[in-house]
Amino acid sequence: MKVKKNDGEYEIRARSIIIGPQLTSVSLDLGKKHRSVIVGLTPCGMHRLLGIPLEEIVDRDYDATLILGPEVEEVLDRLMGAKTNDDQNEVIQNYFLYKLSQLRPALPFDKAMLQQVQARGLLSIDFLASQSCLSVRQFERKTLERIGFSPKLYARIIRFTNAYKYKELNPNATWSDIAYRFGYFDQMHFIRDFKCFAGFTPHFLTENDLVHSVRFQSIGN
């Protein structure tokens, strides 16, 4: 796989990469034949697994073997030998069960951020801070450490992600209806977020794009 950021050149990536929180859109060259397995972690899951302050790795990616060790190559070999999606899923599940004992403890903050995801980014910072047993300032610092973004930016990303996934599943829905459904003040507010996170306005997105796009995000919460 090759990745191009901004106006740079395409760069080849390792067989397995760890991707930090992403804010900037990138271009991917998957080639004619490319088989990908995407593992998405719950909010705070990457911090609990790696122990890295996520604000330090925003918009960055790393060769997974340099962070998790040569065991990643063994997992990749098993994935290459897996014949079905269920077999691949079993390989991934077994690996993370093995890593389970190495996870850092979950905090009330982590549960609060799951609530924010389930609420599609509409919960207030004051409420989430109280659920986390933190002051607002402590909550903001913890969000940068364990999520990578400020609480307000993370809420915007959650809301936009849900709105975009809804459009993928319901291509006939209008953008104005989607903006209303997901709590935007008006359509222009939604368009500004769309351009910020996708890199272009929704009017450039065609029905053909929605049908043939590569979907890296899961449909559930």
Side-chain angles (χ1 to χ4, degrees):
M1 181 179 71
K2 297 179 181 179
V3 177
K4 181 174 73 171
K5 298 184 177 181
N6 301 319
D7 296 325
E9 300 293 328
Y10 278 99
E11 298 179 359
I12 298 176
R13 290 297 188 262
R15 286 208 302 164
S16 177
I17 58 175
I18 290 176
I19 303 173
Q22 293 292 294
L23 186 60
T24 305
S25 59
V26 299
S27 298
L28 302 178
D29 181 355
L30 301 179
K32 294 182 179 180
K33 294 184 179 180
H34 189 86
R35 189 180 184 186
S36 297
V37 177
I38 310 298
V39 180
L41 301 178
T42 58
C44 310
M46 183 174 289
H47 177 79
R48 293 180 61 201
L49 178 64
L50 303 179
I52 299 172
L54 293 200
E55 62 184 313
E56 297 180 4
I57 60 172
V58 171
D59 282 340
R60 303 180 69 178
D61 59 79
Y62 304 88
D63 183 338
T65 59
L66 299 179
I67 296 177
L68 297 174
E71 63 196 48
V72 173
E73 291 295 334
E74 298 177 14
V75 175
L76 290 174
D77 290 340
R78 295 193 192 102
L79 286 172
M80 291 294 293
K83 296 181 179 180
T84 67
N85 290 340
D86 287 340
D87 291 339
Q88 290 181 340
N89 183 59
E90 184 177 357
V91 170
I92 295 297
Q93 295 293 339
N94 286 338
Y95 173 70
F96 280 98
L97 284 173
Y98 159 72
K99 300 294 287 186
L100 195 60
S101 63
Q102 302 176 29
L103 285 182
R104 287 156 183 80
L107 302 178
F109 172 88
D110 303 347
K111 184 177 179 179
M113 298 314 288
L114 281 175
Q115 288 181 277
Q116 180 69 304
V117 171
Q118 292 162 359
R120 302 190 304 198
L122 298 178
L123 299 179
S124 71
I125 294 176
D126 287 342
F127 172 79
L128 293 170
S130 67
Q131 293 295 105
S132 304
C133 306
L134 300 170
S135 68
V136 170
R137 182 168 294 184
Q138 289 172 327
F139 176 79
E140 290 172 343
R141 288 198 297 265
K142 192 64 69 175
T143 307
L144 288 172
E145 176 189 48
R146 296 176 83 85
I147 298 292
F149 304 124
S150 70
K152 288 184 178 180
L153 178 56
Y154 187 55
R156 287 174 59 201
I157 292 171
I158 293 171
R159 181 165 49 175
F160 169 74
T161 299
N162 278 276
Y164 187 86
K165 288 191 293 186
Y166 183 84
K167 180 65 173 179
E168 284 185 325
L169 294 174
N170 302 274
N172 293 325
T174 66
W175 291 117
S176 59
D177 287 342
I178 290 173
Y180 174 78
R181 176 182 289 270
F182 289 92
Y184 287 92
F185 296 126
D186 52 38
Q187 189 173 352
M188 287 306 300
H189 182 204
F190 171 67
I191 290 173
R192 285 195 296 271
D193 270 8
F194 197 108
K195 188 173 183 180
C196 175
F197 299 131
F200 55 92
T201 63
H203 302 97
F204 282 96
L205 193 67
T206 67
E207 185 173 340
N208 186 63
D209 293 329
L210 291 168
V211 171
H212 295 97
S213 63
V214 179
R215 300 182 183 182
F216 290 108
Q217 299 177 14
S218 62
I219 299 304
N221 289 326

